Amino acid sequence: MSTKLAGADVTSDQILARVISSLEDDKAEDIVTIDLRGRSSIADYMVICSGRSSRQVGAIAEKLVERLKEDFGRNSKIEGKDQGDWVLIDTQDVIVHVFRPEVREFYQLEKMWMPSGSHV
């Protein structure tokens, strides 16, 4: 059941909560949330997760985009879905990266964006 909210009334925390629930529903693994507020102007949060296969990575991303549109009327930009190694979903307030595990290990975005002293 969806409760559609007007786009302007939606907070980044509400978007983040829906992103996390969507990822969990689709069995994304190793979900990491990074707070970017005060550190970057690109978004308030970054979420990084893994899918077990290229097919799952693409499906996780596709369902997330559909759910955000349905629940909040929000169009998200999506890149990399056809390859399925690394899909980026830009919701404006939350940037989501969905990786195959070996691609995630190679790029190690968490290390680049986590605050000093944090451990993944």
Side-chain angles (χ1 to χ4, degrees):
M1 183 164 144
S2 79
T3 308
K4 193 166 186 175
L5 298 172
D9 297 334
V10 179
T11 67
S12 59
D13 290 327
Q14 289 171 307
I15 296 288
L16 177 64
R18 187 61 182 112
V19 164
I20 298 298
S21 69
S22 178
L23 297 175
E24 289 173 344
D25 288 348
D26 292 330
K27 309 292 188 254
E29 299 176 347
D30 302 319
I31 301 169
V32 174
T33 301
I34 302 169
D35 190 341
L36 299 177
R37 294 172 296 182
R39 296 178 50 215
S40 175
S41 61
I42 61 169
D44 288 343
Y45 297 100
M46 180 182 297
V47 177
I48 303 171
C49 67
S50 299
R52 290 181 298 280
S53 67
S54 295
R55 179 176 287 184
Q56 186 189 22
V57 166
I60 287 169
E62 196 170 292
K63 289 300 291 182
L64 174 59
V65 169
E66 288 172 13
R67 289 171 178 143
L68 291 174
K69 176 134 178 96
E70 181 180 306
D71 292 354
F72 302 121
R74 178 157 298 200
N75 290 319
S76 302
K77 296 176 186 161
I78 187 168
E79 297 288 335
K81 187 172 72 84
D82 293 337
Q83 294 79 18
D85 290 332
W86 174 3
V87 181
L88 179 135
I89 303 104
D90 181 354
T91 74
Q92 299 167 358
D93 296 321
V94 180
I95 304 293
V96 183
H97 298 273
V98 186
F99 287 100
R100 280 191 310 107
E102 48 282 0
V103 177
R104 182 177 181 173
E105 178 63 28
F106 179 79
Y107 286 103
Q108 298 187 4
L109 286 186
E110 292 97 325
K111 287 186 179 181
M112 185 182 330
W113 285 98
M114 292 294 276
S116 301
S118 295
H119 298 287
V120 180

